[in-house]
Amino acid sequence: MQERSERTRRRLIDAAAELFTRSGYASATLGGIAAAAGVTKGALYFHFPSKEALADAVALHGRTLLGEFLDERRATGGRPVQNLIDLTHWLALVRREDPVVRAAFRLADDGVAGPSGTSGLRRAWLAEARRLLDEADAAGELSGEARGDGAEALLAALMYGMAPPGTDRSAGAGPRPEDGGSLWRLLLPVLVGPGRTGRYRTAPPRPCAEAVRAA
């Protein structure tokens, strides 16, 4: 019984994600979500008392994956700049391969942040990237030109390039995952200095792609 209930809950989250991505939060209806999931509205209300609760579940899924990925990267003991590079690869991969995460970004762009006391997935990603940048600065990894507001502006531009608003409507939207490596080969000399780029891998880490596909 519990397993069946969990499957129903997951179908509802998946259906909500599809409609939130396609139509936006305001236009998605509970009736449409229930129909897309193949359940009655009564079954929907058993799991989620409101559309807001469904949106919270979608947003929480994205934040959970983000946290799990960062924990896995930190466990490897890698340099902060390497973790930052890997975080951008995670962004590109998960946006393409996980429809619930695509919906979480769409909700964030629609101004729906998720559970109370949290921020949207876009802001959460950028906050983690800034924290890695601070760690890199403290570790002496950054070049002189990369310190201060310039590096944060670079991060924001990179993030919006890899996850531009309005490209979440279908799988495969936005830049290809391999585009991140090309971007980093151009940006890394600015961030760490031209003589130190050999310390870092610009290609996606294999566990990143495998974890996204298994989610």
Side-chain angles (χ1 to χ4, degrees), residues 83-105:
N83 290 338
L84 178 61
I85 293 169
D86 293 345
L87 180 59
T88 61
H89 286 304
W90 175 89
L91 173 66
L93 281 164
V94 81
R95 277 278 300 266
R96 293 177 68 91
E97 299 193 15
D98 191 315
V100 182
V101 172
R102 282 199 299 276
F105 274 104

Side-chain angles (χ1 to χ4, degrees), residues 63 66 70 87 119-129 159:
R63 291 180 63 89
L66 173 61
L70 287 169
L87 180 59
S119 60
L121 186 54
R122 191 178 291 279
R123 286 189 178 185
W125 184 96
L126 193 53
E128 293 292 348
M159 193 267 185

Side-chain angles (χ1 to χ4, degrees), residues 52-144:
E52 181 182 9
L54 265 167
D56 285 352
V58 169
L60 186 60
H61 172 82
R63 291 180 63 89
T64 298
L65 284 188
L66 173 61
E68 289 174 351
F69 176 73
L70 287 169
D71 287 345
E72 185 273 328
R73 286 292 92 198
R74 292 190 183 98
T76 68
R79 293 183 174 96
V81 166
Q82 184 64 68
N83 290 338
L84 178 61
I85 293 169
D86 293 345
L87 180 59
T88 61
H89 286 304
W90 175 89
L91 173 66
L93 281 164
V94 81
R95 277 278 300 266
R96 293 177 68 91
E97 299 193 15
D98 191 315
V100 182
V101 172
R102 282 199 299 276
F105 274 104
R106 174 65 192 270
L107 287 172
D109 294 335
D110 285 351
V112 182
S116 177
T118 68
S119 60
L121 186 54
R122 191 178 291 279
R123 286 189 178 185
W125 184 96
L126 193 53
E128 293 292 348
R130 283 176 177 144
R131 190 161 63 79
L132 286 170
L133 197 63
D134 289 341
E135 291 177 8
D137 193 12
E141 288 189 78
L142 302 185
S143 69

Side-chain angles (χ1 to χ4, degrees), residues 16 23 41 78 118 139 189 204 206 215:
S23 305
K41 286 188 75 173
T118 68
R206 183 169 296 177

Side-chain angles (χ1 to χ4, degrees), residues 8-16 33 37 39 43-44 47-48 54:
T8 300
R9 186 178 187 276
R10 180 67 200 205
R11 283 207 313 272
L12 285 164
I13 292 174
D14 289 344
I33 292 169
V39 304
L44 184 154
H47 292 278
F48 299 101
L54 265 167

